[in-house]
Amino acid sequence: MSKISYDGPILEIDQLSISFFTRLREIPAVMDFSVVVQPGEAVGLVGESGCGKSTVALGVMQDLGVNGSIVGGKIKFKGQDLSKMSPEQLRDIRGNEIAMIYQEPMASLNPAMKVGKQLIEVPIIHEGVSEEEALRRAKEVLVDVKLPDPERILKSYPHQLSGGQQQRIVIAMALMSKPALLILDEPTTALDVTVEAAVVDLVKDLGKKYGTSMLFISHNLGLILETCDQICVMYSGEAVETGSISDVFDKMQHPYTQALFRSIPLPGADKNSRPLVAIPGNFPLPHERPTGCNFGPRCNYFKDGLCNIQAIPMNKIKGFERHFSRCSRIEEINWDTPISSSSQFESLPPGDVVLKIDNLKKYYEVAANALFGSSGTYKTVKANETLSFEARESETLAIVGESGCGKSTFAKVLMGLETATDGDILLDKDNIESTPIEARDTQTVADIQMVFQNPFDTLNPSMTVGRQIVRALEVFKYGESDDERHDRMLQLLDLVKLPRAFATRMPRQLSGGQKQRVGIARAFAGGARIVVADEPVSALDVSVQAAVTDLLMEIQRKEKTTLLFISHDLSIVRYLSDRVMVMYLGHVVELGTTDQVFSPPYHPYTEALLSAVPIADTSIEKKHIVLEGDIPSAMNPPSGCPFQTRCRWKKDVPGSLCETEIPPIKTLDGGHQIKCHLAKSKLEKMEPVIKIAAE
């Protein structure tokens, strides 16, 4: 099909309303939603889970399923009303003129078909080109998306590629027919931060090269700042603020936008002197929305008789061409009032050492041919290599690194789910590295507990919340009677700030943040002294992240808990940790206080990690470092320094030292440790990656 030629806006959504119909009721998912995407422009769609971002995208694709329906408004693509198109016309536009990239790359790839075949299908079906021409174009696009060795990639199956490579293939597939509009639905959520940075860079470059307009859906405000020209903030099915990036980031005019920014850990936030301000209350369910302003019940500026009388329209902000806000009190609110924190805390001095790790190693024997392991040859995977550190009472130690660096393996060994290959783990002064969890005494099990990444996977769906906490108390042999355990369960609900009435609820009746609170209550049921928090907030919305993070801090102050916080989100790490340990391919490459790790000198890997973190602040200047290549496999690590295949400083080390020898640990001022061959004089000349721009 030939492309539609048109010189106006690529996408015009005007007062769109979308509902889903159940047997009981109509559920409005999107109401009175308007946005315009100009040629070559990237518009970011931001908001929490359930706000309607993906529903808007599916409305544009005219793919709302049997229950969904557009009940008001229009969606025009290049001036043509999509709802008036025949199924054949829509089929031609999808994939050819409008392409969509999803959060999970494997949802778009056929696992039984080679990558090359999947790529050439697009132009053959949509444009009727020859197989030779399609193949030539496929190789060209693979080079554009910076995939090495296109010939090999074309002959590979999706499962033979890493997550970052799979996502690049999906982007390549979307670009094969040079679409006018690219919709990206959380395209980097499942990727490591360094891979995310490379993919975001790629999307920006390709947008410029192909002149593609983009609708970028994300809950990550930093990512939107780095990729988009315009932003639309959504809350509970409505657009609440739209405008250019600088309008909305620097001159925000809606209470929800302001509350969202106050709940994310920007540089300058501090868990003691400048704690985050979580948004009070909960997101309304679609059939329980309030009258008037949807954000009213959670808003600091709510005015009875004004905000809860009738639906509030989008209001134009004076003096700004495309800046609108859905608020009745724009003129009355002083938007420059500095953030007022509800409370400040004294920083807790760390207590005695409760956990000491010395030269810990964890190796796995894996069949060399892992798929058909009958060849008799085995490879050793060094998941953890000579880990050494201490953790103290009341201290938060963050463990940072990309997927496959050994963070979770270490957590499993500490918990007793695996046993160590070598080295020591001392809890107080007792060695526990060789004792599996089933052989540990009740006190040791109670002392070291874990809060997991996904709260949905850790609760029994057929047991009430109260019963699950009581069950943990029984395992830890708490109390003499059921009544004592029941009272303690209610106290634990108080501890994690959940209403006591939740004791009789089933997990399905809870939101993600509430489920994570139940997981935390269960972890503290036995009076845990060390809590391993494995990405505990990465599955939660930003406003919920702030509440759960502050809850962990509050419990730590009360209980003097040692918190081992495993994360790849360096913004949260900077906010809540006292010390940071950076891991790469099983090795600890840097260890120091948070201030030491976040300011130069850095390990070259830490430097790249800091550069990759999207920060939602227009006053921040970042050095741009994009790591080339993917993380090497732990089954086949590089010789010498594990990071040498991706290191931009390697040329500053004489000879082939980086390729032949594992670096020694250098101890700099204040006990700051860096595992690197770079001379101290070179390390000390490193410049800061993150700077606040001069006013």
Side-chain angles (χ1 to χ4, degrees):
M1 176 196 165
S2 61
K3 307 267 182 181
I4 303 167
S5 59
Y6 184 69
D7 58 3
I10 295 295
L11 182 70
E12 294 169 275
I13 302 178
D14 186 30
Q15 295 185 317
L16 176 70
S17 293
I18 297 174
S19 290
F20 289 91
F21 293 86
T22 68
R23 282 176 303 178
L24 297 177
R25 59 170 79 91
E26 174 187 349
I27 298 173
V30 173
M31 297 87 70
D32 183 29
F33 179 86
S34 300
V35 81
V36 176
V37 183
Q38 299 290 352
E41 188 174 68
V43 175
L45 214 48
V46 171
E48 297 170 90
S49 307
C51 72
K53 306 185 298 287
S54 296
T55 305
V56 168
L58 293 171
V60 174
M61 297 300 282
Q62 298 286 301
D63 183 22
L64 292 164
V66 289
N67 295 337
S69 183
I70 293 173
V71 293
K74 284 192 174 84
I75 303 174
K76 286 185 180 176
F77 173 71
K78 289 189 174 179
Q80 297 192 359
D81 189 338
L82 288 172
S83 64
K84 294 203 167 83
M85 288 189 180
S86 68
E88 289 73 25
Q89 287 174 304
L90 281 172
R91 213 167 21 244
D92 277 334
I93 279 184
R94 287 189 203 123
N96 183 31
E97 291 261 37
I98 305 175
M100 187 156 174
I101 296 169
Y102 295 90
Q103 181 171 346
E104 177 47 64
M106 280 309 286
S108 309
L109 295 171
N110 183 335
M113 196 189 279
K114 286 182 178 172
V115 165
K117 194 157 174 28
Q118 299 190 54
L119 283 173
I120 65 172
E121 266 188 346
V122 181
I124 288 173
I125 289 170
H126 286 292
E127 298 171 55
V129 304
S130 68
E131 197 168 314
E132 288 73 26
E133 168 60 16
L135 199 57
R136 185 195 64 73
R137 213 188 281 183
K139 287 177 188 169
E140 197 179 286
V141 175
L142 287 183
V143 172
D144 280 346
V145 298
K146 297 189 170 64
L147 277 168
D149 195 358
E151 294 285 353
R152 180 185 67 81
I153 298 276
L154 288 170
K155 291 177 184 144
S156 301
Y157 286 97
H159 72 266
Q160 294 171 308
L161 307 175
S162 70
Q165 288 174 333
Q166 286 172 1
Q167 193 61 292
R168 283 163 196 245
I169 293 294
V170 172
I171 293 169
M173 204 182 289
L175 293 169
M176 278 298 284
S177 57
K178 301 186 172 59
L181 177 67
L182 191 56
I183 301 173
L184 302 106
D185 190 358
E186 302 269 14
T188 59
T189 306
L191 305 178
D192 277 310
V193 66
T194 53
V195 182
E196 174 181 84
V199 169
V200 164
D201 250 35
L202 175 71
V203 167
K204 280 195 295 189
D205 291 347
L206 294 171
K208 289 194 190 94
K209 176 174 176 178
Y210 290 102
T212 310
S213 300
M214 287 190 270
L215 193 60
F216 198 115
I217 297 171
S218 182
H219 64 271
N220 186 329
L221 286 158
L223 215 51
I224 294 295
L225 171 62
E226 291 187 2
T227 48
C228 296
D229 310 299
Q230 298 281 324
I231 179 173
C232 171
V233 181
M234 289 187 76
Y235 181 80
S236 189
E238 295 177 325
V240 293
E241 185 166 7
T242 60
S244 71
I245 290 289
S246 58
D247 289 347
V248 175
F249 275 66
D250 299 335
K251 304 179 191 75
M252 57 191 75
Q253 302 275 306
H254 194 279
Y256 175 62
T257 313
Q258 189 184 60
L260 208 51
F261 273 85
R262 288 179 174 181
S263 65
I264 56 177
L266 297 172
D270 178 273
K271 64 181 177 183
N272 295 314
S273 60
R274 281 189 58 193
L276 300 178
V277 180
I279 304 175
N282 287 312
F283 197 76
L285 292 169
H287 56 282
E288 293 175 0
R289 290 188 178 111
T291 307
C293 176
N294 283 342
F295 188 60
R298 306 174 75 188
C299 180
N300 292 333
Y301 307 107
F302 177 79
K303 197 171 186 180
D304 193 21
L306 174 69
C307 301
N308 54 354
I309 298 300
Q310 60 191 31
I312 293 162
M314 286 294 264
N315 298 301
K316 193 172 191 308
I317 310 295
K318 286 177 189 164
F320 295 91
E321 190 191 345
R322 291 174 71 182
H323 194 180
F324 293 83
S325 172
R326 197 181 293 275
C327 179
S328 304
R329 302 195 62 200
I330 296 168
E331 302 292 326
E332 302 164 44
I333 296 168
N334 178 2
W335 297 101
D336 298 322
T337 306
I339 183 168
S340 60
S341 173
S342 50
S343 48
Q344 292 190 338
F345 305 96
E346 280 187 29
S347 56
L348 283 175
D352 297 334
V353 172
V354 289
L355 185 69
K356 185 174 165 61
I357 313 290
D358 193 25
N359 276 329
L360 181 74
K361 297 179 183 179
K362 177 59 184 173
Y363 296 171
Y364 294 98
E365 290 290 316
V366 180
N369 185 343
L371 196 56
F372 310 104
S374 56
S375 60
T377 56
Y378 284 83
K379 277 194 170 182
T380 301
V381 176
K382 298 180 177 181
N384 288 153
E385 184 69 298
T386 58
L387 262 63
S388 295
F389 66 91
E390 292 176 345
R392 298 170 182 274
E393 186 181 82
S394 301
E395 179 182 54
T396 301
L397 172 69
I399 304 173
V400 173
E402 296 170 282
S403 309
C405 73
K407 309 185 296 284
S408 296
T409 299
F410 162 69
K412 285 177 188 167
V413 174
L414 181 60
M415 296 292 297
L417 300 170
E418 302 271 4
T419 53
T421 305
D422 197 7
D424 298 302
I425 300 179
L426 293 163
L427 176 62
D428 298 324
K429 297 205 166 44
D430 299 327
N431 280 69
I432 58 168
E433 70 284 341
S434 301
T435 315
I437 193 160
E438 59 271 18
R440 290 185 179 182
D441 60 63
T442 305
Q443 189 55 53
T444 304
V445 173
D447 278 348
I448 308 176
Q449 280 293 297
M450 194 157 181
V451 177
F452 294 90
Q453 177 170 359
N454 196 338
F456 306 92
D457 294 342
T458 54
L459 298 179
N460 185 332
S462 58
M463 207 184 266
T464 64
V465 164
R467 181 72 197 111
Q468 303 205 37
I469 298 172
V470 168
R471 181 82 191 88
L473 291 167
E474 288 168 357
V475 169
F476 298 138
K477 300 184 170 59
Y478 178 91
E480 301 296 318
S481 66
D482 288 347
D483 287 347
E484 270 187 62
R485 284 187 280 275
H486 186 265
D487 288 347
R488 176 64 181 152
M489 178 267 291
L490 294 175
Q491 287 166 13
L492 285 163
L493 287 177
D494 295 342
L495 182 72
V496 296
K497 294 187 166 57
L498 282 176
R500 290 187 166 197
F502 273 40
T504 57
R505 288 199 183 182
M506 303 301 279
R508 67 173 183 276
Q509 297 171 289
L510 272 56
S511 69
Q514 289 166 342
K515 285 179 186 168
Q516 194 59 293
R517 285 165 188 260
V518 176
I520 294 168
R522 216 169 42 176
F524 281 93
R529 295 170 60 212
I530 299 167
V531 169
V532 182
D534 189 358
E535 302 269 13
V537 294
S538 65
L540 306 175
D541 280 312
V542 282
S543 59
V544 183
Q545 278 184 10
V548 172
T549 304
D550 280 356
L551 172 70
L552 279 169
M553 295 295 97
E554 193 176 316
I555 295 173
Q556 182 182 46
R557 290 184 191 103
K558 213 177 280 178
E559 309 279 328
K560 297 194 170 173
T561 319
T562 303
L563 195 61
L564 299 182
F565 193 87
I566 297 174
S567 183
H568 67 272
D569 184 340
L570 288 171
S571 301
I572 284 182
V573 164
R574 183 179 205 158
Y575 170 66
L576 61 77
S577 62
D578 303 303
R579 286 192 305 135
V580 180
M581 180 167 98
V582 183
M583 290 185 71
Y584 186 83
L585 219 59
H587 293 257
V588 175
V589 294
E590 185 161 3
L591 178 62
T593 65
T594 305
D595 287 343
Q596 286 169 344
V597 172
F598 277 80
S599 32
Y602 313 105
H603 186 280
Y605 176 57
T606 310
E607 181 191 46
L609 276 182
L610 290 172
S611 162
V613 177
I615 300 172
D617 188 336
T618 54
S619 67
I620 293 291
E621 283 180 1
K622 272 195 318 181
K623 190 177 281 187
H624 193 64
I625 304 160
V626 173
L627 288 181
E628 296 297 323
D630 290 306
I631 308 168
S633 161
M635 272 183 81
N636 194 17
S639 58
C641 171
F643 188 59
Q644 54 103 347
T645 55
R646 302 167 82 196
C647 182
R648 74 190 193 106
W649 290 87
K650 188 171 151 183
K651 61 185 185 306
D652 293 307
V653 176
S656 58
L657 208 55
C658 295
E659 292 165 23
T660 53
E661 286 182 35
I662 291 176
I665 292 173
K666 289 188 168 70
T667 303
L668 308 175
D669 295 344
H672 182 191
Q673 296 178 9
I674 295 181
K675 195 174 198 173
C676 185
H677 284 303
L678 278 173
K680 279 189 184 180
S681 57
K682 279 259 171 21
L683 286 168
E684 279 155 9
K685 282 182 185 158
M686 280 188 168
E687 294 172 359
V689 172
I690 297 168
K691 284 192 288 199
I692 295 179
E695 293 297 320

